[in-house]
Amino acid sequence: MKRLLSGIGVLVVAGMAQAAGSPAYVAGTAPDHRREDAPVIREARPLDKKTAFHGIDEPYPASLDVFDSQGAWYTPFTRAGMTGRYDIRGYHRQ
């Protein structure tokens, strides 16, 4: 009975979306197409090296040049992590 009621609820919600004039969007039915109203990144801000390389002395090592092409991709290496003895770059120190 519980399954039947939840199934009816799904149908009612789907019917309400159809009645509103816009077809219901179902993710994954067309994985090669993007929704028309999907957000788009127009411009990627450059990496703020002062914040990202906190606790690293200049001149920065050549191994950090990889962040020049980082773009807007997320990386945990440029953010404060754990506290205490694990805070080797001093993000959490006063």
Side-chain angles (χ1 to χ4, degrees), residues 2-17:
K2 211 176 206 185
R3 275 184 156 172
L4 177 64
L5 290 177
S6 68
I8 291 172
V10 169
L11 289 175
V12 168
V13 170
M16 288 170 50

Side-chain angles (χ1 to χ4, degrees), residues 3 11 17-18 23-24 30 44 48-49 58 65-66 75 80 92:
R3 275 184 156 172
L11 289 175
Q18 292 289 342
D48 177 18
K49 288 189 177 183
E58 290 192 54
D65 289 346
V66 70
T75 178
H92 299 287

Side-chain angles (χ1 to χ4, degrees), residues 46-88:
L47 180 69
D48 177 18
K49 288 189 177 183
K50 183 179 179 190
T51 304
F53 297 164
H54 179 85
I56 301 173
D57 296 329
E58 290 192 54
Y60 297 128
S63 60
L64 296 179
D65 289 346
V66 70
F67 289 106
D68 292 338
S69 59
Q70 176 70 22
W73 290 95
Y74 171 80
T75 178
F77 302 112
T78 60
R79 290 167 172 74
M82 295 172 55
T83 59
R85 66 181 184 172
Y86 302 104
D87 186 20
I88 60 174

